[in-house]
Amino acid sequence: MSKDKILSEALTLFASRGYEGTALSELAERVGMKKASIYSHFKNKEEIFWAVIDRAYQDEIDKFSKGMKEVQQLSFRERLHFMIDQHVHFYKENDVNATLWRRMTLFPPEAFREGLKAKLLEYEQQFNALLETELQVAIEEKEISDIDLDTGLAMILCIVDGLFVEYSYYDENEFNERVEAVKKMTWRSFAPKVEEG
Amino acid sequence: MSKDKILSEALTLFASRGYEGTALSELAERVGMKKASIYSHFKNKEEIFWAVIDRAYQDEIDKFSKGMKEVQQLSFRERLHFMIDQHVHFYKENDVNATLWRRMTLFPPEAFREGLKAKLLEYEQQFNALLETELQVAIEEKEISDIDLDTGLAMILCIVDGLFVEYSYYDENEFNERVEAVKKMTWRSFAPKVEEG
DNA sequence: CCTACCGATCGGTAGG
DNA sequence: CCTACCGATCGGTAGG
């Protein structure tokens, strides 16, 4: 269907050039139609934007929650590393989606700032709920130090956000080394003080 | 001088709307002249861009190295917290400079990509050299665990990058709490395992 | 530093 | 899904 084709080409363009930087004439050319014909599928450019965003958002949510179900039986340390890896994997495999997300989080088109912020907080809440349970169980079972939940949560989110940024400005090898370093250090920050890791 | 005024207004605009998103007509209006008059100070838009970038780069370098000199006598734990605070302070006080820098790093205008990358690596090398010395001394004096230098470096950079992202999407109170949480956890990741912090 | 202008391109519409 | 447009705005120039 050409509506899908419009959305997937728009995703690529919005991610690489931004919203205002994307011309509908170029979008049309990639899809293989004239610019005016786009308007028989979408009301205007803004409607295309939100359709693209909604799709990218659902993709991210689905992949993350599916992944976490697969590692329930592992230790907290392993689940922590898995969580970080999974985000990294997302940046790599799904480069366009992640780039769009990154761009729209950091530099939203002025008019869409509020709407995008709402979507982001929605995602964070789902992520937080999941993480909070993880931490609580790990503390109760003495897998990690008795850390304040919000403190531990803030740390993991900060790490994930930091790697998110760094992915786009280091080359693959350098980035992979950084991921391993950060996983190691992050575990150290959670580990019970008495045992040496 | 109106050349300075052009540069400082251009900084604000490039940071908040990006290069292509900034219209010379708006720049002129903010400066208080007509668009055509800008061309008596600069050859074209591109020349304004590089003048702005060069200035922002020098500012960032100067402020960071000046700050670090003032805390040489403190403990590593305090210097670590100071470094994080200083970056946070930089985002807050000097929001425009930092925002421009990050935007141009992550989403450079296509034509300027190579030139910008060179500037970034230059900055990172200076930052790394400084951090490396900090870590080495702290390890030798047994203030922190015997951690691989690159690993420790990667951790601090990741934290700083993560907080940068988060600064733009949390409100002030929430953000400040996250900074404190992250400082605490980051210190835990460096601390010798035997002493409880 | 200004007025007056240029060609190119933007998002969007009319009408088929 | 097309041709043929629209007004608005872009970066930049001529000439004073």
Side-chain angles (χ1 to χ4, degrees):
Chain A
M1 215 171 100
S2 53
K3 189 162 181 168
D4 279 341
K5 176 84 172 152
I6 292 172
L7 288 178
S8 74
E9 293 295 340
L11 170 64
T12 307
L13 285 169
F14 288 154
S16 60
R17 310 204 205 293
Y19 178 76
E20 292 98 340
T22 295
L24 293 189
S25 55
E26 189 180 356
L27 174 58
E29 197 183 0
R30 290 193 181 207
V31 174
M33 53 171 62
K34 295 296 170 183
K35 190 185 65 174
S37 308
I38 289 180
Y39 287 86
S40 31
H41 297 282
F42 297 93
K43 205 181 80 196
N44 52 25
K45 194 181 179 184
E46 186 170 339
E47 196 178 280
I48 300 174
F49 177 73
W50 287 113
V52 166
I53 288 288
D54 285 343
R55 235 202 204 177
Y57 170 77
Q58 264 310 321
D59 272 20
E60 187 157 4
I61 292 276
D62 291 352
K63 284 201 180 151
F64 183 75
S65 48
K66 205 177 84 185
M68 285 311 292
K69 278 184 191 143
E70 293 168 12
V71 290
Q72 276 176 340
Q73 78 291 356
L74 301 180
S75 72
F76 178 79
R77 180 183 183 162
E78 287 166 312
R79 291 205 305 285
L80 176 67
H81 288 181
F82 178 83
M83 268 186 276
I84 295 173
D85 281 338
Q86 223 209 356
H87 273 88
V88 167
H89 184 76
F90 173 73
Y91 311 152
K92 290 185 176 176
E93 283 305 293
N94 215 339
D95 204 22
V96 216
N97 252 344
T99 303
L100 176 74
W101 202 248
R102 197 166 17 235
R103 192 191 273 268
M104 292 310 151
T105 302
L106 295 173
F107 305 107
E110 213 136 340
F112 307 150
R113 179 164 278 148
E114 290 309 308
L116 285 166
K117 200 165 188 168
K119 279 239 170 286
L120 181 79
L121 288 178
E122 211 178 301
Y123 175 74
E124 197 194 291
Q125 266 160 26
Q126 299 205 30
F127 186 67
N128 275 6
L130 222 133
L131 264 183
E132 206 166 323
T133 314
E134 295 279 334
L135 283 178
Q136 197 130 34
V137 171
I139 289 171
E140 277 163 19
E141 300 190 354
K142 302 210 186 294
E143 282 190 83
I144 60 177
S145 287
D146 186 16
I147 290 166
D148 174 62
L149 279 184
D150 288 336
T151 305
L153 236 100
M155 184 61 172
I156 294 175
L157 271 160
C158 184
I159 288 298
V160 164
D161 286 332
L163 289 175
F164 181 70
V165 172
E166 294 186 348
Y167 175 64
S168 54
Y169 59 79
Y170 295 115
D171 66 48
E172 176 124 12
N173 280 339
E174 173 68 19
F175 179 69
N176 288 340
E177 278 169 29
R178 278 169 189 270
V179 171
E180 290 312 309
V182 164
K183 277 157 70 176
K184 194 170 161 185
M185 293 298 281
T186 305
W187 168 246
R188 281 184 62 96
S189 73
F190 281 99
K193 287 275 175 174
V194 281
E195 59 176 6
E196 183 69 57
Chain B
M1 217 169 100
S2 53
K3 190 161 179 169
D4 280 342
K5 176 84 173 154
I6 292 172
L7 287 178
S8 74
E9 293 295 339
L11 170 64
T12 306
L13 285 168
F14 288 154
S16 60
R17 311 204 205 294
Y19 178 77
E20 290 99 343
T22 294
L24 293 188
S25 55
E26 190 180 356
L27 175 57
E29 198 184 359
R30 290 192 181 209
V31 173
M33 52 171 61
K34 296 295 170 185
K35 189 185 67 175
S37 309
I38 290 179
Y39 288 85
S40 30
H41 298 283
F42 296 93
K43 206 181 77 197
N44 54 25
K45 195 181 179 183
E46 185 170 341
E47 195 179 281
I48 300 174
F49 177 74
W50 286 113
V52 166
I53 288 287
D54 285 343
R55 234 205 205 176
Y57 171 76
Q58 264 312 320
D59 272 20
E60 189 156 3
I61 292 276
D62 292 350
K63 286 207 177 147
F64 184 75
S65 48
K66 204 177 84 183
M68 286 311 293
K69 277 183 193 145
E70 292 169 13
V71 290
Q72 275 176 342
Q73 78 290 358
L74 301 180
S75 70
F76 178 78
R77 180 184 184 163
E78 287 166 311
R79 292 206 303 286
L80 176 66
H81 289 181
F82 178 83
M83 267 186 275
I84 294 173
D85 281 338
Q86 221 208 0
H87 273 87
V88 167
H89 183 78
F90 175 73
Y91 309 152
K92 289 185 178 177
E93 283 304 293
N94 214 340
D95 202 20
V96 219
N97 251 343
T99 303
L100 176 74
W101 198 244
R102 226 36 87 113
R103 191 193 273 268
M104 293 309 152
T105 302
L106 295 173
F107 305 107
E110 214 137 340
F112 308 150
R113 179 164 279 150
E114 288 309 308
L116 285 167
K117 199 164 190 167
K119 280 236 171 285
L120 179 78
L121 288 179
E122 213 177 300
Y123 175 73
E124 198 194 289
Q125 266 160 26
Q126 300 205 30
F127 185 69
N128 275 7
L130 221 132
L131 265 182
E132 206 167 322
T133 314
E134 295 281 332
L135 284 178
Q136 196 132 34
V137 171
I139 289 171
E140 276 163 19
E141 301 190 355
K142 302 209 187 296
E143 284 190 83
I144 61 178
S145 287
D146 186 16
I147 290 165
D148 174 61
L149 280 184
D150 288 336
T151 304
L153 235 100
M155 184 61 170
I156 294 175
L157 273 161
C158 183
I159 288 297
V160 162
D161 286 331
L163 288 176
F164 177 79
V165 173
E166 296 186 347
Y167 174 66
S168 53
Y169 59 79
Y170 294 116
D171 67 47
E172 177 124 12
N173 281 339
E174 174 70 19
F175 178 69
N176 288 339
E177 278 169 30
R178 278 167 190 271
V179 171
E180 290 313 308
V182 164
K183 277 156 71 177
K184 194 170 159 182
M185 293 299 281
T186 305
W187 167 246
R188 281 183 62 97
S189 74
F190 281 99
K193 287 276 175 177
V194 279
E195 56 176 7
E196 184 68 59

